[in-house]
Amino acid sequence: MKDGKQNKSRFKTVTPVMIYLSPDDKKKLNEYAQKNKIASTQIAREGIHMRLQGSDNPYNQGFNDGLNEAMRIAKANHGAQMKFPSGKSFAEYVCEDIQTYMREKI
């Protein structure tokens, strides 16, 4: 006790979550954690935190930048300008699908 205050137990400040990894991913995670002297649970927490940050995270921003570049290339491709009876081009359909993979903050 310090100044009459009690420290909270670690298990009162965190919630357990179970994840499943392929055996190969588990091996890679263990090797990475050991090499970098960091707990595999810390790596998982950081990864989850990163994904929850959405597009504010530099990794996610780079991922989105890559998708945006793919859409720009699709739109610039001469063959992708072919129009369907709906009036949309092949490039527009491709870009609509690519947009579903964007990592944006909700």
Side-chain angles (χ1 to χ4, degrees), residues 26-55:
K26 175 66 172 149
K27 181 181 176 202
K28 288 176 184 176
L29 174 61
N30 288 342
E31 289 169 355
Y32 180 86
Q34 196 171 40
K35 177 182 155 195
N36 292 284
K37 296 179 174 67
I38 185 170
S40 57
T41 54
Q42 180 62 30
I43 295 167
R45 281 191 295 274
E46 290 172 1
I48 292 167
H49 182 72
M50 178 191 65
R51 289 298 297 262
L52 293 175
Q53 284 181 323
S55 60

Side-chain angles (χ1 to χ4, degrees), residues 55-88:
S55 60
D56 292 342
N57 180 286
Y59 175 82
N60 288 335
Q61 185 58 51
F63 183 86
N64 287 345
D65 289 346
L67 293 179
N68 285 326
E69 181 66 9
M71 289 189 289
R72 187 194 65 74
I73 291 168
K75 289 176 184 175
N77 183 285
H78 181 69
Q81 300 309 312
M82 177 186 70
K83 299 273 185 184
F84 287 95
S86 66
K88 287 186 176 182

